[in-house]
């Protein structure tokens, strides 16, 4: 089975995006009426998925996508907790409809109602709802709800512990995923995402989070940001800071995906990190959707890169299937 661990619903029905526009308008002008979500029919939801993510999944040889709301549209930088709660619930309920309509092809991952400086209790409640009621298999956690200003405590801070306790209890992993950048100095897709991936890895290196939560699991997307390319720097910093070697300090709990959009980058990722800690992913219809003029193939057809690099069947199976089932045990239980 080919499992893509990183997909977003970037093509939702118009009723969904219209609701968000109305919600944002009312946030700017409280005199406007409370927005009401117009119901999208099952046919509208099917069309939004079948002509986009599901079509490409089939064309490129994939079987199942771990699916979450659109990351850049989470917009956690908005300070109103009620807006965040309503928007997260709306987005998660829409993803649940996709997983109900296409249970063989999609498994849900939750968006959390995070806000800058907000309490973590709302996030814990939505995590529990989506796992217990909607059957979701994981969660996306934004380490920087401020959108590039980094006002949140590091992910090793006690602030996050109630969320981690719930993740451990429910046995679900978190993908580390920021939302839109609020500073022109950091482009959302080309800088902010990769900055966050790299920054969180360094936070984990500096702390001892997995000593306290030994079964906690994180997927750092986009190939781990700068981490694999600078693996020697991080190994050296671990030594300089008196931390254990990375293999024993972090790599039983931290995994990277293959959302790296050229073959040399995926090769470096697999060579440096190894096949036990890499999960196949494409983030298709995400940041990079066009055709690479040097190859004639889509940048985000990442299966093509992995196929060219991993010719040994056991290694390929680990990246395409086995690691995902190990990191997402609720998905494994669902499939079995």
């Amino acid at each position: 089975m080919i499992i893509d661990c990183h997909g977003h619903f970037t093509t939702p029905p118009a009723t969904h995006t219209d609701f968000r526009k109305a919600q944002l308008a009312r946030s700017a002008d409280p005199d406007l009426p409370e927005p009401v979500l117009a119901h999208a029919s099952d046919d509208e939801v099917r069309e939004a998925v079948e002509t986009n993510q599901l079509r490409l999944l089939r064309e490129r040889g994939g079987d199942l996508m771990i699916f979450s709301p659109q990351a850049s549209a989470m917009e956690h930088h908005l300070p109103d907790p009620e807006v965040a709660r309503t928007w997260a619930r709306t987005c998660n309920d829409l993803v649940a409809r996709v997983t109900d309509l296409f249970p063989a092809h999609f498994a849900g991952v939750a968006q959390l109602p995070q806000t800058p400086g907000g309490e973590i209790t709302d996030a814990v409640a939505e995590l529990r709802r989506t796992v217990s009621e909607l059957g979701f298999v994981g969660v996306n956690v934004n380490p920087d709800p401020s959108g590039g200003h980094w006002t949140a405590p590091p992910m090793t801070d006690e602030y996050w512990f109630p969320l981690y306790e719930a993740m451990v209890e429910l046995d679900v992993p978190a993908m580390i995923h920021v939302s839109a950048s609020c500073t022109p100095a950091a482009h959302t897709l080309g800088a902010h995402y990769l900055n966050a991936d790299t920054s969180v890895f360094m936070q984990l290196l500096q702390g001892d989070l997995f000593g306290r939560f030994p079964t906690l699991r994180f997927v750092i997307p986009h190939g781990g940001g700068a981490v694999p390319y600078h693996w020697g720097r991080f190994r050296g910093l671990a030594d300089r800071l008196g931390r254990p070697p990375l293999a024993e300090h972090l790599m039983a709990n931290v995994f990277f995906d293959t959302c790296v959009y050229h073959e040399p980058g995926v090769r470096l990722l697999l060579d440096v990190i190894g096949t036990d800690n890499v999960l196949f992913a494409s983030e298709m219809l995400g940041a990079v959707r066009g055709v690479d003029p040097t190859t004639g193939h889509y940048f985000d057809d990442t299966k093509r890169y992995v196929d060219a690099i991993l010719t040994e069947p056991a290694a390929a199976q680990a990246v395409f299937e086995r690691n995902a089932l190990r990191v997402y045990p609720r998905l494994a239980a669902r499939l079995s």
Side-chain angles (χ1 to χ4, degrees):
M1 173 176 280
I2 309 298
I3 300 172
D4 185 334
C5 81
H6 189 173
H8 299 296
F9 201 175
T10 54
T11 58
T15 54
H16 183 76
T17 53
D18 288 346
F19 174 77
R20 182 56 169 175
K21 291 175 184 176
Q23 195 182 42
L24 295 177
R26 189 172 189 272
S27 293
D29 182 0
D31 291 333
L32 291 173
E34 187 76 31
V36 177
L37 176 67
H39 179 72
S41 68
D42 284 353
D43 286 343
E44 288 176 295
V45 176
R46 284 193 189 96
E47 182 180 6
V49 176
E50 286 181 329
T51 59
N52 293 290
Q53 290 84 5
L54 184 55
R55 174 180 62 82
L56 292 175
L57 190 71
R58 288 166 168 163
E59 288 178 359
R60 297 175 184 180
D63 296 301
L64 183 144
M65 177 178 285
I66 299 176
F67 204 50
S68 63
Q70 183 175 356
S72 61
M74 295 189 297
E75 296 179 309
H76 290 137
H77 61 275
L78 299 174
D80 189 329
E82 178 57 32
V83 170
R85 285 192 295 267
T86 302
W87 182 232
R89 177 178 284 264
T90 300
C91 292
N92 291 330
D93 287 349
L94 180 61
V95 167
R97 291 186 65 189
V98 174
T99 63
D100 288 343
L101 290 168
F102 304 99
H105 298 293
F106 294 96
V109 160
Q111 169 181 327
L112 296 180
Q114 298 179 249
T115 55
E119 297 292 332
I120 203 70
T121 51
D122 287 341
V124 174
E126 184 63 5
L127 170 63
R128 291 188 179 280
R129 184 186 80 90
T130 54
V131 173
S132 301
E133 298 179 18
L134 305 182
F136 281 16
V137 301
V139 62
N140 286 345
V141 176
N142 186 346
D144 174 33
S146 70
H149 299 292
W150 288 95
T151 58
M155 297 203 72
T156 52
D157 189 87
E158 291 184 3
Y159 166 82
W160 301 97
F161 285 6
L163 180 63
Y164 299 158
E165 289 164 358
M167 287 171 55
V168 168
E169 176 191 336
L170 297 168
D171 202 13
V172 295
M175 178 171 281
I176 304 301
H177 212 307
V178 290
S179 187
S181 171
C182 294
T183 168
H187 185 274
T188 293
L189 306 175
H192 185 43
Y193 281 14
L194 306 181
N195 293 346
D197 303 333
T198 309
S199 296
V200 168
F201 187 84
M202 188 64 203
Q203 292 173 6
L204 297 174
L205 186 157
Q206 290 176 271
D208 187 26
L209 184 63
F210 304 120
R212 183 182 179 98
F213 299 102
T215 61
L216 190 67
R217 300 179 301 282
F218 290 144
V219 178
I220 299 182
H222 317 116
V227 173
Y229 189 69
H230 288 285
W231 193 243
R233 173 181 288 262
F234 290 105
R235 290 177 56 238
L237 285 171
D239 180 68
R240 178 177 178 176
L241 296 172
R243 311 311 295 154
L246 295 181
E248 61 186 73
H249 186 42
L250 300 182
M251 300 313 289
N253 306 81
V254 176
F255 304 85
F256 302 144
D257 75 12
T258 63
C259 290
V260 181
Y261 297 124
H262 64 149
E263 185 179 320
V266 176
R267 187 179 299 277
L268 181 145
L269 169 69
L270 292 167
D271 284 347
V272 172
I273 301 302
T275 57
D276 287 343
N277 283 77
V278 176
L279 281 64
F280 171 69
S282 68
E283 203 179 10
M284 65 170 65
L285 292 174
V288 184
R289 306 183 183 190
V291 174
D292 184 344
T294 65
T295 66
H297 301 290
Y298 284 93
F299 283 104
D300 62 2
D301 186 1
T302 53
K303 181 176 180 295
R304 181 179 299 274
Y305 311 141
V306 179
D307 284 338
I309 297 164
L310 297 182
T311 57
E312 203 275 317
Q317 185 187 31
V319 172
F320 282 130
E321 176 184 18
R322 193 170 66 243
N323 294 343
L325 297 179
R326 179 162 53 96
V327 175
Y328 292 84
R330 284 184 175 266
L331 175 62
R334 173 177 160 177
L335 293 175
S336 64

